[in-house]
Amino acid sequence: MKIACIGGGPAGLYFAILMKKLDPAHQITVYERNRPGDTFGWGVVFSDQTLENLSGADEDTRREIIDSFAHWDDIDIHFGGRVIRSGGHAFCGIARRHLLEILARRAEGLGVELVYEREVEGVHELADADLIVAADGINSKVRSAYAEHFRPDIAVGRCKYIWLGTHKLFEAFTFLFEQTAHGWFTVHAYRFDDDTSTFIVEAPEEVWQAEGLAEADTAASIDFCERLFGKYLDGHRLMSNAGHMVGSPWVSFRRVLNQTWIKDNVVLMGDAAHTAHFSIGSGTKLALEDAIALAQAFERAPDDVAAALRAYENERKLDVLRLQSAARNSMSWFEHVDRYTGLAPEQFAYSLLTRSQRVSHENLRLRDRAYLEAVERWYFDQAVRTAGASDADGGAASEDRVHPPAPMFAPLRLRGVRLDNRVVVSPMAMYSAEDGVAGDFHLVHLGSRAVGGAGLVFTEMTCVSAEGRITPGCAGLYTDAHTAAWRRIVDFVHANSRAKICAQLGHAGPKGATKLGWEGMDEPLDAAAAWALIAPSAQPWKPGHQVPRAMTRADMDAIRDQFVAAVARAAEAGFDMVELHMAHGYLLSAFLSPLSNQRSDDYGGSLERRLRFPLEVFEAARAAWPDDRPMSVRISATDWHPQGLQPDDAVEIARALAARGVDLIDVSAGQTSPEARPVYGRMFQTPLSDQIRNQAGVATMAVGNIYEPDHVNSILAAGRADLVAMARPHLADPYWTLHAAARLGYADQAWPPPYLAGKEQLERLQERAADMALLV
């Protein structure tokens, strides 16, 4: 084939090498707009995993790259007057210029033609090529020329950054944090050869603007950075190699996605196809792995360009999306670093290390057990200091133990209620009540999960009136019979476990009068069986559903009083805690969301007005609830809709509730509109909990596709939530917490006395499995 590669970066050069090795008869030309050696940036970072991916592709290149690497295992985080070190991360760095020299030398040695200082204005200039590889970078002219076909999605980051170098040698991957009068600046620094380190400085654009850096040239920018971070440089200067760039030396990261990477015989590769934020060091990794995948596709289909390109895109897109998701999390952390600077240095550092959600709690244990146990010791000790010790945790501080407990076993105090651990059984609709009465099923369902070791057990949404039910099978708390039924369950939980139990109270509003979940989720009842619905506006939940009546002020008074009465009944039944349901499109949620609240009076329009009635209900309920018992609120922190409630709105809602005495925000998302477009994934709602907790300054509970102890411990230790709720895992395993305790070696987890023989056997089996793993 005749192959033209537009762009002489790692993607284009490495693909040329691999294709020339695959078939020396290929006629391959690489066109590069810059001179040899012109490059933005200093060193690039690889992980050991990236090096493994290079194995078998071109051993000569791999060997020369490895011989040029600077290796390190440690990450140093300088924050709050402390230096916190974590080891075992297995990184290596190489000068970007040297990497390009290695690739260019290898390509020329194999017979690839390299043409420098040649700007390819369009693929029409290469009409005789069988294959055109557009590896022309983040500002790809090829992608721009055919934007209607590739359909790029480009998002600009919130921070400005400058990529500098220095002869100060940072032997660990180093993060530096310094605050000015206007905000925080961050440095990412690492050594990449015997005498030079990369030194990337970034800050949110508004901070950068306030410091006058928008008008600063390279010399002035370097002077500012040296003054701010001089104490870390030991007298060394900062340097720029971006003289070939036009304009400000500060740039914004741009995240690039494309709907497709292929047009006829043209294919996008590297930054032209996708980008990943430099904070996870993966741009060069992605470029090299693109080249490997495309070359392998041609090895499998040497005579079919179209088939090879389709195979390449299908293979790479999912891997790239996963990495971009992690990179987005990482970038967001640095863009909002001021969200975390109120954390203690131990938690700040842990939050940084786990920011992408690719590095987990147990992964850190494998990398550096001593570091992780220091974090666990700190977390448990500060939890015991604030919550007080109890028999459940042996009354012992972590220093009295061989191994400190995992964060999930740390106690938490909410007002006068002390939880023995941070695991929560999430509220889950069971649709099994008769006339609102919780029966034997609820006793067994909730009782078994309390016995199963969770620190806190939630009821399903328990309705404040018959008309407020979601389905005919929903439980209620609006008659004496309901109160008695719940008292029986609460008494069982208190008598047979150390768990606390919370009543979640709500009104279905526009989502009421539907079938039982297994008969048709959110499907309306037949007209004869349905009851009249009310809502903020006369807007059905979705087409085909009953149109609710828009609420009057008299309706609001009645609903408020129903919540107050239900709260009083919850106190009479002995519940330890109450939660008001203001999420998922039910009545109070429908007031909060602009998608469902179309009112033009004082209860619609701005967020402040939409909040008015929910806050009124909360204040009345809080006044009716014992002062020494906590109250939480569940909210949908986003509607997953561009015209709906946004995470920043959720922060304001949380602040308003906190000012009125809420103790915990239960952070859910969506289910407020059938037009929502949620972004699912592991722990997908946790970033919302993180934002609310660390911006609003209120305790939160995370929920949403959390199912492993590792997830729970990562969320808690990073300060992303104070409690973690799980639904489906507890449906599959009522004893999830007891099993997790045995697996993690936490012997102080309370078990019911009749189950102690099972505890001893399970712990023995876990120890035996661990010993066998060591032998293997």
Side-chain angles (χ1 to χ4, degrees):
M1 285 194 299
K2 185 172 184 178
I3 301 171
C5 295
I6 307 173
L13 287 172
Y14 200 51
F15 176 69
I17 290 168
L18 298 180
M19 288 300 285
K20 199 68 174 175
K21 281 189 63 182
L22 186 63
D23 186 347
H26 288 321
Q27 182 182 340
I28 306 175
T29 305
V30 176
Y31 299 94
E32 169 56 43
R33 67 170 69 94
N34 293 317
R35 298 169 301 176
D38 281 352
T39 181
F40 175 58
W42 293 81
V44 294
V45 178
F46 290 158
S47 67
D48 283 357
Q49 180 61 52
T50 303
L51 296 182
E52 289 181 20
N53 294 337
L54 297 181
S55 298
D58 181 49
E59 192 57 33
D60 288 354
T61 304
R62 178 176 176 273
R63 191 179 309 112
E64 189 171 359
I65 290 173
I66 289 175
D67 289 345
S68 304
F69 271 141
H71 294 266
W72 68 88
D73 281 333
D74 297 330
I75 293 177
D76 281 355
I77 298 165
H78 295 247
F79 175 73
R82 302 266 302 280
V83 181
I84 295 179
R85 172 166 288 192
S86 169
H89 297 280
F91 285 115
C92 44
I94 185 172
R96 179 176 172 82
R97 180 177 294 174
H98 186 48
L99 174 64
L100 293 176
E101 289 170 352
I102 291 171
L103 295 175
R105 188 165 54 249
R106 176 63 170 156
E108 286 188 308
L110 291 170
V112 175
E113 182 183 3
L114 305 184
V115 180
Y116 289 99
E117 299 183 72
R118 165 69 191 280
E119 184 80 59
V120 177
E121 298 295 340
V123 296
H124 62 276
E125 299 178 21
L126 309 169
D128 60 339
D130 301 300
L131 172 68
I132 299 173
V133 177
D136 52 341
I138 195 168
N139 298 311
S140 170
K141 287 190 174 182
V142 175
R143 186 187 65 225
S144 297
Y146 299 103
E148 290 187 3
H149 178 82
F150 293 119
R151 284 171 288 172
D153 176 0
I154 300 174
V156 179
R158 180 173 175 244
C159 284
K160 288 286 188 178
Y161 70 94
I162 184 170
W163 201 333
L164 303 171
T166 178
H167 291 307
K168 158 69 179 179
L169 297 183
F170 292 93
E171 296 299 336
F173 197 116
T174 302
F175 293 101
L176 311 173
F177 298 89
E178 286 294 326
Q179 187 177 22
T180 71
H182 300 104
W184 288 87
F185 282 76
T186 302
V187 164
H188 312 240
Y190 52 89
R191 180 174 71 88
F192 60 83
D193 62 23
D194 290 339
D195 66 354
T196 322
S197 297
T198 287
F199 199 88
I200 302 173
V201 184
E202 71 168 330
E205 185 166 359
E206 63 272 18
V207 177
W208 172 82
Q209 288 273 7
E211 292 291 346
L213 292 168
E215 295 78 32
D217 61 12
T218 299
S221 297
I222 287 176
D223 180 65
F224 172 85
C225 295
E226 287 179 341
R227 284 187 282 108
L228 185 57
F229 293 100
K231 65 184 178 182
Y232 305 103
L233 292 170
D234 296 335
H236 293 281
R237 303 300 305 273
L238 295 175
M239 307 174 290
S240 172
N241 66 359
H244 62 289
M245 293 181 61
V246 178
S248 172
W250 297 83
V251 295
S252 300
F253 175 77
R254 294 198 296 161
R255 190 270 295 135
V256 175
L257 295 170
N258 286 278
Q259 190 71 28
T260 181
W261 301 349
I262 305 164
K263 185 184 187 303
D264 303 323
N265 67 331
V266 179
V267 60
L268 303 179
M269 184 185 288
D271 284 353
H274 46 69
T275 59
H277 192 254
F278 59 82
S279 62
I280 62 170
S282 293
T284 305
K285 161 194 163 67
L286 286 173
L288 297 178
E289 290 176 353
D290 280 356
I292 293 169
L294 185 54
Q296 289 175 342
F298 276 105
E299 187 174 11
R300 294 189 296 269
D303 302 317
D304 191 337
V305 171
L309 296 186
R310 284 195 304 272
Y312 157 74
E313 183 178 71
N314 291 338
E315 176 186 338
R316 290 294 293 150
K317 260 199 167 179
L318 184 58
D319 286 343
V320 167
L321 284 173
R322 285 174 179 151
L323 194 63
Q324 284 184 315
S325 176
R328 183 178 62 248
N329 292 337
S330 178
M331 178 178 72
S332 178
W333 195 95
F334 287 105
E335 288 181 338
H336 300 94
V337 68
D338 59 333
R339 187 181 294 170
Y340 307 105
T341 52
L343 300 176
E346 292 86 352
Q347 195 160 49
F348 179 89
Y350 182 99
S351 176
L352 188 159
L353 292 171
T354 59
R355 66 195 181 278
S356 72
Q357 296 187 0
R358 296 173 75 205
V359 176
S360 70
H361 197 75
E362 292 307 316
N363 187 265
L364 282 175
R365 194 184 308 280
L366 290 173
R367 296 178 184 215
D368 190 341
R369 175 178 288 272
Y371 162 76
L372 188 71
E373 290 193 350
V375 172
E376 291 179 327
R377 202 175 303 281
W378 169 83
Y379 191 92
F380 189 81
D381 286 353
Q382 60 87 28
V384 169
R385 281 195 299 272
T386 56
S390 79
D391 293 340
D393 52 48
S398 66
E399 60 265 22
D400 301 323
R401 306 166 186 268
V402 176
H403 299 294
M408 63 187 287
F409 301 114
L412 177 68
R413 181 170 296 279
L414 297 171
R415 296 202 183 213
V417 174
R418 183 191 188 279
L419 307 179
D420 281 348
N421 61 57
R422 307 292 180 107
V423 179
V424 179
V425 177
S426 191
M428 295 174 279
M430 294 289 104
Y431 311 113
S432 300
E434 294 189 14
D435 295 325
V437 177
D440 289 346
F441 178 87
H442 296 85
L443 174 67
V444 174
H445 167 68
L446 295 170
S448 61
R449 281 146 188 87
V451 167
L456 179 63
V457 176
F458 272 75
T459 71
E460 61 196 86
M461 188 176 94
T462 303
C463 303
V464 298
S465 69
E467 296 76 20
R469 291 175 296 166
I470 310 166
T471 76
C474 288
L477 196 45
Y478 48 87
T479 72
D480 291 345
H482 298 156
T483 307
W486 282 118
R487 185 186 300 114
R488 173 178 175 237
I489 294 168
V490 170
D491 287 348
F492 177 89
V493 168
H494 289 160
N496 294 279
S497 76
R498 299 187 64 90
K500 301 300 186 292
I501 183 166
C502 177
Q504 187 190 68
L505 303 176
H507 189 295
K511 293 180 77 173
T514 61
K515 297 177 181 178
L516 304 183
W518 50 83
E519 293 177 352
M521 183 62 68
D522 287 338
E523 290 301 315
L525 291 168
D526 295 338
W531 51 88
L533 302 180
I534 59 174
S537 304
Q539 179 176 310
W541 159 243
K542 62 181 179 181
H545 280 231
Q546 180 187 151
V547 177
R549 175 171 55 82
M551 290 172 64
T552 65
R553 181 62 247 189
D555 292 325
M556 294 182 201
D557 292 341
I559 295 298
R560 179 200 60 213
D561 293 346
Q562 287 170 1
F563 272 95
V564 169
V567 164
R569 289 186 179 279
E572 184 182 348
F575 281 102
D576 303 291
M577 179 172 166
V578 159
E579 175 169 285
L580 302 191
H581 203 325
M582 297 188 187
H584 300 169
Y586 300 125
L587 184 67
L588 299 180
S589 170
F591 270 91
L592 295 174
S593 173
L595 301 177
S596 49
N597 185 341
Q598 302 296 314
R599 300 177 73 99
S600 58
D601 62 3
D602 289 344
Y603 300 94
S606 68
L607 178 60
E608 181 182 7
R609 290 185 173 188
R610 299 197 311 272
L611 255 170
R612 185 167 293 174
F613 179 61
L615 289 178
E616 181 182 324
V617 172
F618 176 82
E619 288 179 309
R622 178 69 261 185
W625 183 241
D627 190 60
D628 64 339
R629 299 188 210 177
M631 182 176 284
S632 62
V633 171
R634 170 168 277 202
I635 64 171
S636 287
T638 175
D639 286 335
W640 301 116
H641 190 287
Q643 279 77 54
L645 203 72
Q646 302 300 320
D648 287 347
D649 299 323
V651 172
E652 294 308 312
I653 292 170
R655 284 178 174 147
L657 288 164
R660 289 160 176 80
V662 80
D663 299 289
L664 181 80
I665 302 293
D666 178 356
V667 184
S668 188
Q671 302 180 53
T672 54
S673 167
E675 297 177 359
R677 295 295 178 265
V679 181
Y680 292 115
R682 181 170 51 90
M683 301 185 285
F684 71 107
Q685 293 174 163
T686 298
L688 301 168
S689 169
D690 182 337
Q691 180 176 353
I692 291 169
R693 181 184 190 270
N694 292 304
Q695 280 188 225
V698 60
T700 62
M701 181 164 75
V703 65
N705 205 17
I706 301 165
Y707 49 87
E708 291 283 353
D710 199 17
H711 302 164
V712 178
N713 289 322
S714 297
I715 291 167
L716 295 170
R720 297 186 175 106
D722 300 273
L723 291 170
V724 177
M726 290 170 287
R728 290 176 178 86
H730 278 116
L731 291 179
D733 182 4
Y735 305 103
W736 189 93
T737 306
L738 299 184
H739 294 155
R743 177 175 161 188
L744 295 175
Y746 182 58
D748 289 331
Q749 170 64 40
W751 285 58
Y755 289 4
L756 288 176
K759 174 182 186 289
E760 294 166 1
Q761 183 187 56
L762 182 58
E763 289 173 343
R764 286 198 306 272
L765 292 173
Q766 291 290 340
E767 289 177 7
R768 188 179 303 168
D771 291 342
M772 291 298 292
L774 288 174
L775 289 174
V776 171

